[in-house]
């Protein structure tokens, strides 16, 4: 058996074509969030309703291209696809446990741990498939779904890009810190997808203005949006999500990481079986040579002589 790709600490390696596809997809996905800041749009009740189906339709070919690129480069095989399906189903089943109440969302810590073990490309695809499958189970399909899929894909991809040399308790601490950062980043981006389109975003307990201003400079709208996020979700939903990630990674992280890594070793991702003549094992250098057994012909000769 010959290993064609991969590092010892990364189950599914990210190939160059896959890296290019993920980079382009991430740039395009980021533009889907920020384009209202770059052009003049008017608030509307439908928000992203008209263009969300096109965003969703655009994500599906990206997933297919990423998977095909991984398959063609040997980064993902049938066993990795099977693991992807299992983890997507597990994540879809976990999401209803929290249902997002007070920011308690049990879907993200699995993305962090799986992305850490299986790599950036695997984490990107897992983020999309997990949110899509869980949305079907929880009736959460709506114009927000493609944006949630993109954010979750980035969470899984980022976990696969974390430094690989960190192990033990330091690794758990690193993953906890990453889980906290992505919890707030998820809330920030998911606020951005609808904020430019809502009307009357002002709140009574803040004297300034936090509504989107059509045609205003980007920095001015970003300042208003940052305050909007701080006042409406950072101290509530986002903090609840960060606490959930922290508790889940601290309590379940070591066991889940060990289980996933054991599964990756036994599945031997990226190892291609080859068939050919077997090579006899070499004798140990300190082996004692035994005398050869007498041949049958010699026995016959002795009998004839007698």
């Amino acid at each position: 058996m010959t290993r064609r790709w991969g590092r010892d600490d990364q189950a599914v390696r990210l190939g160059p074509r896959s890296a290019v596809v993920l980079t382009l997809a991430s740039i395009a996905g980021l533009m889907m969030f920020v384009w209202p800041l770059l052009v003049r749009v008017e608030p509307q009740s439908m928000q992203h309703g008209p263009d969300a189906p096109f965003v969703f339709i655009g994500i599906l070919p990206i997933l297919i291209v990423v998977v095909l690129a991984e398959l063609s480069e040997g980064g993902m095989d049938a066993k990795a696809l099977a693991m992807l399906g299992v983890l997507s189903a597990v994540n879809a089943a976990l999401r209803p446990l929290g249902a997002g109440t007070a920011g308690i969302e049990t879907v993200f810590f699995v993305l962090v741990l799986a992305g850490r073990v299986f790599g950036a490309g695997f984490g990107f695809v897992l983020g999309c498939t997990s949110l899509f499958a869980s949305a079907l189970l929880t009736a959460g399909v709506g114009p927000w779904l493609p944006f949630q899929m993109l954010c979750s894909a980035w969470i899984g991809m980022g976990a696969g890009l974390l430094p690989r040399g960190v192990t033990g308790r330091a690794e758990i601490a690193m993953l906890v810190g990453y889980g906290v950062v992505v919890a707030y980043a998820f809330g920030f981006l998911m606020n951005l997808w609808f904020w430019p389109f809502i009307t009357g975003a002002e709140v009574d307990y803040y004297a300034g203005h936090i509504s989107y201003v059509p045609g205003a400079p980007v920095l001015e709208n970003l300042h208003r949006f940052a305050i909007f996020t701080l006042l409406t979700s950072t101290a509530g939903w986002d903090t609840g999500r960060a606490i959930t990630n922290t508790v889940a990674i601290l309590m379940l992280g070591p066991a889940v990481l060990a289980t996933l890594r054991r599964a990756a070793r036994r599945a031997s991702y990226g190892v291609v079986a080859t068939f050919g003549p077997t090579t006899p094992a070499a004798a140990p250098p300190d082996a004692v040579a035994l005398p050869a057994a007498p041949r049958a012909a010699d026995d016959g000769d002795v009998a004839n002589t007698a």
Side-chain angles (χ1 to χ4, degrees), residues 34 37 188 192 195 217-227:
V34 303
L37 300 178
F188 185 87
L192 183 57
W195 173 74
V218 174
L219 291 180
E220 179 182 342
N221 272 327
L222 277 178
H223 176 71
R224 288 167 173 260
F225 172 68
I227 297 175

Side-chain angles (χ1 to χ4, degrees), residues 21 35 49 61 66 76 94 105 134 140 148 154 263 271 285 299:
V21 172
W35 71 266
V66 171
M76 188 178 291
L94 285 176
E105 297 178 274
S134 62
Q148 289 180 334
W154 287 331
V271 175
D299 295 339

Side-chain angles (χ1 to χ4, degrees), residues 9 20 41 47 86-87 97 99 136 158 168-169 179 209 226 265 295:
D9 57 351
V20 171
V41 299
Q47 299 177 7
V86 171
L87 290 179
L97 299 180
L136 295 179
R169 294 182 178 179
H209 300 286
R265 284 195 300 271
R295 296 180 303 169

Side-chain angles (χ1 to χ4, degrees), residues 5-23:
W5 51 264
R7 293 161 47 181
D8 292 340
D9 57 351
Q10 191 174 31
V12 180
R13 184 181 62 85
L14 184 66
R17 282 197 295 270
S18 303
V20 171
V21 172
L22 290 181
T23 301

Side-chain angles (χ1 to χ4, degrees), residues 135-160:
L136 295 179
L137 288 179
T138 59
V141 178
W144 55 84
L145 177 58
F147 298 93
Q148 289 180 334
M149 291 171 63
L150 277 173
C151 291
S152 301
W154 287 331
I155 292 174
M157 182 179 70

Side-chain angles (χ1 to χ4, degrees), residues 115-287:
R116 173 66 177 170
V117 173
F118 294 104
F122 188 96
F124 184 92
V125 179
L126 178 63
C128 287
T129 55
S130 295
L131 267 290
F132 179 68
S134 62
L136 295 179
L137 288 179
T138 59
V141 178
W144 55 84
L145 177 58
F147 298 93
Q148 289 180 334
M149 291 171 63
L150 277 173
C151 291
S152 301
W154 287 331
I155 292 174
M157 182 179 70
L161 297 177
L162 292 174
R164 309 302 301 179
V166 183
T167 59
R169 294 182 178 179
E171 182 182 32
I172 297 299
M174 179 181 69
L175 294 179
V176 168
Y178 179 75
V180 172
V181 171
V182 298
Y184 288 104
F186 182 86
F188 185 87
L189 288 175
M190 287 309 299
N191 286 338
L192 183 57
W193 86 272
F194 69 86
W195 173 74
F197 300 95
I198 62 175
T199 58
E202 310 298 339
V203 292
D204 297 335
Y205 51 88
Y206 181 71
H209 300 286
I210 58 176
S211 296
Y212 170 78
V213 178
V218 174
L219 291 180
E220 179 182 342
N221 272 327
L222 277 178
H223 176 71
R224 288 167 173 260
F225 172 68
I227 297 175
F228 171 83
T229 298
L230 286 172
L231 295 178
T232 58
S233 71
T234 299
W237 295 84
D238 299 344
T239 299
R241 188 181 303 112
I243 293 174
T244 303
N245 288 346
T246 299
V247 173
I249 293 174
L250 284 176
M251 295 184 63
L252 304 176
V256 174
L257 285 176
T259 302
L260 294 179
R261 283 172 173 151
R262 187 182 305 115
R265 284 195 300 271
R266 293 193 176 186
S268 300
Y269 297 119
V271 175
V272 179
T274 57
F275 302 93
T278 57
T279 303
D286 55 345

